[in-house]
Amino acid sequence: MDLLAHLQGHDRTALNRPRADGGWSALQVLHHVIAAEAGTLGYVSRKMRGGTSLPRAGLVSRLRLLALQMANASPLRFRAPGITADVPTEIDPDELLRGWDEARTEWRRLLEDFPEELLGRMVFRHGWVGLMGLSDTLGFLQSHLDHHARQVERLLAPH
């Protein structure tokens, strides 16, 4: 699913329109996704400095990913943690897309330069499930994105 394609054909007002129950607008949802991905990127970048002293990832990391994937696929709603829950009321779509591109570029750089000796190490701590390896962290980010893509699709669907 091309999440950004859902934005096309909608004006700034529609993209910033919050849900009737006070929930986030489509752009607020995407702002949250970008903040979560940027925060994760920063955390992984800092943890990489620990080198091979980082704990080894393995089955526990994979089980943590599975728990997060199940939560993201469920109909249950979870409160966004900390800074990723602080979203502006009005968001400029062009600025958001620039932030999206910047985050993707930074992730690409990190992955291209990621030291091979850290591939099996715990490089991210999720606030609810704990430490995870890089591949499981990326799996979580994809699951998180898929969850919110469905949300944006519902928000922008014709009523």
Side-chain angles (χ1 to χ4, degrees), residues 18-62:
R19 287 191 349 210
D21 65 1
W24 285 344
S25 70
L27 291 182
Q28 287 173 316
V29 169
L30 293 175
H31 184 279
H32 159 76
V33 169
I34 294 166
E37 291 186 6
T40 303
L41 175 72
Y43 190 98
V44 170
S45 296
R46 287 186 304 276
K47 282 301 267 189
M48 286 169 53
R49 294 183 205 136
T52 56
S53 68
L54 295 171
R56 291 193 180 279
L59 179 61
V60 172
S61 178
R62 188 53 45 120

Side-chain angles (χ1 to χ4, degrees), residues 82-101:
I83 195 163
T84 67
D86 187 18
V87 296
T89 305
E90 181 81 12
I91 298 171
D92 178 329
D94 294 329
E95 189 176 314
L96 182 121
L97 291 174
R98 278 190 296 279
W100 179 275
D101 289 341

Side-chain angles (χ1 to χ4, degrees), residues 61 65 68 122-124 126 129-134 136-137 140:
S61 178
L65 168 60
L68 290 169
M122 302 280 213
V123 293
F124 175 64
H126 187 279
V129 299
L131 290 170
M132 300 171 69
L134 181 64
D136 296 326
T137 299
F140 155 66

Side-chain angles (χ1 to χ4, degrees), residues 37 40-41 44-45 48 103-119 123 133-139 141-142:
E37 291 186 6
T40 303
L41 175 72
V44 170
S45 296
M48 286 169 53
R104 291 294 179 283
T105 298
E106 291 302 314
W107 267 108
R108 197 172 300 109
R109 281 187 191 131
L110 180 131
L111 294 172
E112 288 170 355
D113 297 338
F114 198 82
E116 190 173 328
E117 65 271 12
L118 297 185
L119 285 175
V123 293
L134 181 64
S135 64
D136 296 326
T137 299
L138 295 173
L141 290 175
Q142 184 63 55

